[in-house]
Amino acid sequence: MIKEWVKKAIPFLGLIILIIVFGATTGGRFLKITNLKNIFSQAAIVMVAGTGCSFVMAHNNLDFSLGGACAMSAVAGIVLGGKLSYALMLPVCLIVGMLCGLITSVLHIKARIPAFMAGMCIMFAGRGLAQGAYLQFVMTLPVEYKVLQNIWFYLGVVVLVFAAAYILFEYTKIGKFNKLIGSNPQVAHLSGIPVDKYKVIAFIVSGFTVGVAAFMSIIRGGGVGAQTGTNLEINVLLALTLGGFPLTGGSASKMRSIIIGSLVLFILNNGLQLWGVDPTLINVIKGIVFLAVVYITIDRGSGKVMI
């Protein structure tokens, strides 16, 4: 019982330890308001994208389309917004994000392609589109949107998206059925749950939050560049795992994992930079931390990470 409690507490303890260590060893630079705002603005995009991805991971799948879908959504949003009306930027980002999620789910369910491979197709297509569009279009943020470049915008979006996703995840069939599918798809099917339907819904929810993340990326980056969305899927997977989300989904899946894990990931990255660690070594250290967390928290009986 104590061992299980320790496993569940590790993400929280890790977050607290990182704050204490970096707060005490960076000469006060880590705790400066401007630095904390910078950490949160970076983490906010991963938090938002990760809330939707949680539904996909809950039914034991990985969505590798996130970065490419984010790039596609951002390009479509700012290009169409510039040609028609910038009021359409957010709706277009949302629509394209959901379409990417729908395409990934159809390739996975109807064409029987593993979800991570279908997602990778979207990922590469999106990155190629962003790089090509960067050479063809001027994709800078309109002046009227620059008022959103502040911490309150990021905080407000995270709170709204997380609250809505939490309700769906914990109190509706969408979340409950996806967790049941992750625990045992055969039992879910025999119980009369339309497994494929709820998998599709999970990918569409993930696409919706990617669309929101794309809009946030446009705001934070001051437009769209060739690197928009790069590594988003990796950062989301790292954040969820560092937050204690089960790698195989199921009933142990908790939405709070993405908040805790995102903060751990970006605080670690920021603290190491303040220490003056070589950038190439930062990724090595993050990899070691990731491996250590998985090793400590994994339930070797079922192959799941506990929370």
Side-chain angles (χ1 to χ4, degrees):
M1 196 71 179
I2 295 176
K3 184 179 179 181
E4 294 303 317
W5 182 87
V6 171
K7 287 182 178 181
K8 293 179 182 180
I10 281 178
F12 297 98
L13 294 174
L15 177 60
I16 293 170
I17 289 170
L18 283 177
I19 292 172
I20 293 173
V21 169
F22 290 133
T25 59
T26 57
R29 289 178 295 165
F30 174 77
L31 295 176
K32 285 184 176 180
I33 297 298
T34 52
N35 187 59
L36 296 177
K37 286 181 178 180
N38 180 55
I39 291 173
F40 187 80
S41 66
Q42 290 178 313
I45 295 173
V46 173
M47 288 178 184
V48 167
T51 55
C53 188
S54 298
F55 289 83
V56 175
M57 283 190 68
H59 72 237
N60 192 17
N61 260 320
L62 297 176
D63 190 353
F64 276 92
S65 71
L66 302 182
C70 179
M72 273 199 252
S73 300
V75 168
I78 201 162
V79 171
L80 290 179
K83 289 184 176 297
L84 301 175
S85 169
Y86 281 115
L88 297 174
M89 192 159 62
L90 176 57
V92 170
C93 285
L94 297 177
I95 291 169
V96 174
M98 288 189 288
L99 282 175
C100 288
L102 178 61
I103 292 169
T104 301
S105 65
V106 170
L107 289 174
H108 169 52
I109 294 168
K110 298 298 182 182
R112 300 299 176 189
I113 298 173
F116 76 92
M117 292 184 66
M120 287 180 69
C121 295
I122 299 294
M123 176 185 71
F124 287 121
R127 288 181 180 173
L129 175 64
Q131 291 169 0
Y134 180 70
L135 300 175
Q136 298 295 324
F137 301 98
V138 176
M139 297 185 290
T140 55
L141 183 69
V143 175
E144 57 266 33
Y145 278 88
K146 290 188 177 181
V147 68
L148 299 178
Q149 292 178 321
N150 63 77
I151 193 65
W152 300 111
F153 167 72
Y154 303 115
L155 180 61
V157 173
V158 169
V159 170
L160 288 173
V161 172
F162 182 81
Y166 183 83
I167 292 170
L168 285 177
F169 199 68
E170 299 293 344
Y171 300 107
T172 73
K173 291 180 180 179
I174 297 174
K176 292 178 179 178
F177 284 177
N178 271 291
K179 286 186 280 187
L180 183 57
I181 293 167
S183 295
N184 194 316
Q186 288 76 26
V187 170
H189 180 72
L190 292 174
S191 299
I193 295 173
V195 173
D196 289 349
K197 172 185 174 181
Y198 280 94
K199 282 187 175 182
V200 171
I201 292 173
F203 278 101
I204 292 175
V205 170
S206 181
F208 179 88
T209 58
V210 166
V212 178
F215 182 73
M216 295 171 73
S217 297
I218 295 172
I219 301 300
R220 188 173 190 277
V224 178
Q227 299 303 312
T228 297
T230 300
N231 292 329
L232 180 60
E233 61 283 331
I234 301 300
N235 286 333
V236 167
L237 177 59
L238 278 170
L240 282 166
T241 307
L242 290 173
F245 203 96
L247 289 172
T248 50
S251 59
S253 305
K254 300 296 180 183
M255 185 66 69
R256 64 174 180 264
S257 298
I258 188 60
I259 302 296
I260 298 168
S262 296
L263 291 174
V264 169
L265 179 63
F266 286 96
I267 285 174
L268 177 63
N269 191 72
N270 180 264
L272 292 174
Q273 289 178 348
L274 292 176
W275 275 358
V277 176
D278 187 284
T280 57
L281 291 178
I282 290 177
N283 286 330
V284 175
I285 294 171
K286 287 195 292 187
I288 293 172
V289 171
F290 174 74
L291 181 61
V293 169
V294 172
Y295 178 80
I296 293 169
T297 59
I298 194 170
D299 180 2
R300 290 168 178 79
S302 63
K304 292 185 178 182
V305 173
M306 302 296 294
I307 186 166

